[in-house]
Amino acid sequence: MTPPLEIRRLSYSDLPQVIAIERRAFPTAWSLAMFVLELSKPSGICLAATIDGKIAGYLVCSRYDTVWHLMNVAVDDRRRRTGIATALLNRLFETADRPGEQYTLEVRESNASAIALYERFGFRAAGKRRGYYHDNKEDALIMWRTADASGPVTDPAREASERAAPA
């Protein structure tokens, strides 16, 4: 039996595990100082996904004026494609969504699986940042999402099928 996934607030004591995942997940990893800075912002939402008390993934979202900026989402490479990122995003939107709430993010153009995940949550491409990623000068796709009055998405696949089904 698979142990349950718990989503909770990310804490400073989680950072050694977070840094280990971050370094495996991204060619240009965030530093410890970057995570500490984001955790210290009272308006941000930083989440940890844990299994048996160990970090399986995390999410960092900062508030800038009237817009949420999804800064970082990563899942342990041994636990990818098991719904952890979906669970983290669901919790973010359960926590922060209000009608008209706006979110933005940047994602590598080559990261098709992340783009597909974000699209399932209603993010849409709105532009590019040329040469955004320092390791290889890859462009970033800028994506935006505006929350609607129906509230947070609880099952993006089901919501998509319901939109596609004839009324």
Side-chain angles (χ1 to χ4, degrees):
M1 182 173 168
T2 305
L5 180 69
E6 178 190 348
I7 307 292
R8 61 168 174 76
R9 186 180 175 107
L10 190 67
S11 70
Y12 294 106
S13 64
D14 296 323
L15 292 180
Q17 292 179 73
V18 166
I19 292 295
I21 293 170
E22 177 79 4
R23 288 183 178 153
R24 289 193 308 270
F26 300 111
T28 308
W30 277 22
S31 68
L32 176 62
M34 292 169 80
F35 281 104
V36 168
L37 175 65
E38 292 305 320
L39 280 171
S40 71
K41 294 178 180 175
S43 63
I45 297 174
C46 300
L47 301 173
T50 64
I51 299 173
D52 278 343
K54 293 191 170 131
I55 302 293
Y58 55 89
L59 175 151
V60 176
C61 190
S62 290
R63 179 80 173 182
Y64 294 100
D65 192 24
T66 61
V67 176
W68 289 100
H69 188 171
L70 187 54
M71 309 272 294
N72 197 328
V73 180
V75 174
D76 187 311
D77 55 343
R78 298 162 292 196
R79 295 195 180 271
R80 288 193 184 137
R81 306 199 95 32
T82 62
I84 294 170
T86 296
L88 285 162
L89 287 165
N90 271 326
R91 180 61 58 85
L92 169 67
F93 298 133
E94 287 168 4
T95 304
D97 262 5
R98 307 285 179 278
E101 204 72 55
Q102 292 187 306
Y103 302 83
T104 189
L105 61 85
E106 294 89 10
V107 61
R108 286 179 187 267
E109 282 191 313
S110 63
N111 194 343
S113 60
I115 292 167
L117 172 68
Y118 298 137
E119 286 175 339
R120 286 196 309 272
F121 278 93
F123 281 91
R124 297 294 172 252
K128 289 183 186 183
R129 294 197 198 283
R130 302 248 178 241
Y132 183 77
Y133 293 98
H134 301 289
D135 61 314
N136 65 357
K137 302 296 181 212
E138 183 175 356
D139 295 344
L141 189 61
I142 303 166
M143 301 184 82
W144 283 87
R145 172 188 187 269
T146 301
D148 62 25
S150 65
V153 175
T154 54
D155 183 346
R158 188 186 77 217
E159 182 174 278
S161 70
E162 288 171 358
R163 280 196 306 264

